[in-house]
C-alpha cells in the first residue's frame, strides 16, 4: 500500500478514537453540569444525548472533509507531518466545540438562576418614596414612610414670637 493510504488509515483511527473518547468523557462528566442547568433529570439526560449526537456529527463530518490531501506524500516523514497537522486541527475543532457548549450552557444557567432568584443579588441601597411624593434634593435623606417628620427646634427654648 501507498504511504498516503497508511497516513489516511492512521488519521481516521486516531481522529475517531479521540472523538469517541472525548464524547464519552464530556457526556459522563457533563451530565452533572446539565443536571444543575436543567431542573428535570430527564431533560438533562435528553439534552446530554442530543449534545453527544451533535458532537459526533460535527466532529466526524469535519474529520472526513479534512481527510483529503492534495499534495503528494513522498516518504514516511512527510506522512507524519501531514498526519500531525490533521490530528492537531481535529483537536482544535474538539476544543472549540467544547468551549462553545460550555459557554452557551453557562449563559443559559446564569439566566435561569437569575430568573429563579427570590432576592436581589445585592442588598438595596435605599428606597424610593411612595407614589405622589416628590424626590428629595440630591444628597438629602428620604422621609420615613409615614410622611415627613415634624421639624424640631435648634435649641432648648424655642424663640418667642
Amino acid at each position: 500500500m501507498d504511504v498516503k493510504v497508511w497516513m489516511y488509515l492512521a488519521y481516521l483511527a486516531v481522529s475517531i478514537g479521540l472523538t469517541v473518547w472525548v464524547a464519552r468523557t464530556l457526556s459522563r462528566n457533563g451530565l452533572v453540569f446539565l443536571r444543575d442547568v436543567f431542573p428535570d433529570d430527564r431533560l438533562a439526560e435528553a439534552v446530554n444525548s442530543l449534545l453527544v449526537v451533535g458532537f459526533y456529527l460535527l466532529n466526524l463530518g469535519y474529520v472526513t472533509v479534512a481527510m483529503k490531501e492534495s499534495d503528494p506524500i513522498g516518504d514516511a516523514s512527510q506522512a507524519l507531518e501531514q498526519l500531525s497537522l490533521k490530528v492537531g486541527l481535529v483537536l482544535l475543532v474538539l476544543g472549540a466545540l467544547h468551549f462553545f457548549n460550555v459557554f452557551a450552557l453557562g449563559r443559559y444557567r446564569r439566566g435561569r438562576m437569575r430568573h429563579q432568584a427570590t432576592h436581589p443579588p445585592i442588598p438595596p441601597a435605599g428606597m424610593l418614596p411612595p407614589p405622589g411624593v416628590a424626590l428629595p434634593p440630591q444628597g438629602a435623606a428620604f422621609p420615613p414612610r409615614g410622611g415627613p417628620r415634624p421639624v424640631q427646634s435648634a435649641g432648648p427654648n424655642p424663640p418667642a414670637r
Side-chain angles (χ1 to χ4, degrees):
M1 271 201 274
D2 187 18
V3 175
K4 199 177 217 182
V5 173
W6 284 108
M7 183 194 75
Y8 286 154
L9 292 174
Y11 168 70
L12 285 175
V14 169
S15 297
I16 291 171
L18 280 171
T19 300
V20 169
W21 174 71
V22 170
R24 286 184 178 176
T25 303
L26 292 177
S27 173
R28 184 178 56 250
N29 296 323
L31 187 57
V32 175
F33 178 73
L34 289 173
R35 284 185 175 147
D36 188 43
V37 171
F38 297 104
D40 183 19
D41 280 351
R42 284 184 39 219
L43 180 62
E45 290 171 8
V47 169
N48 193 33
S49 295
L50 291 173
L51 285 173
V52 168
V53 169
F55 182 81
Y56 278 130
L57 290 173
L58 282 171
N59 199 62
L60 293 176
Y62 174 77
V63 165
T64 55
V65 167
M67 188 169 85
K68 183 173 180 358
E69 179 58 44
S70 57
D71 295 335
I73 306 286
D75 58 358
S77 66
Q78 285 180 337
L80 285 175
E81 289 172 1
Q82 288 301 323
L83 179 64
S84 67
L85 176 68
K86 289 181 178 300
V87 170
L89 288 174
V90 167
L91 291 174
L92 288 173
V93 168
L94 284 170
L97 287 173
H98 174 64
F99 176 77
F100 174 75
N101 283 340
V102 169
F103 178 76
L105 289 170
R107 284 186 57 118
Y108 175 78
R109 179 179 179 266
R110 277 193 304 274
R112 190 177 64 80
M113 298 299 274
R114 226 178 297 134
H115 181 66
Q116 288 179 344
T118 58
H119 61 281
I122 57 173
M127 293 176 46
L128 291 174
V133 176
L135 289 172
Q138 184 81 15
F142 285 108
R145 281 193 177 257
R149 291 186 183 157
V151 178
Q152 298 179 356
S153 61
N157 296 325
R161 290 189 183 187

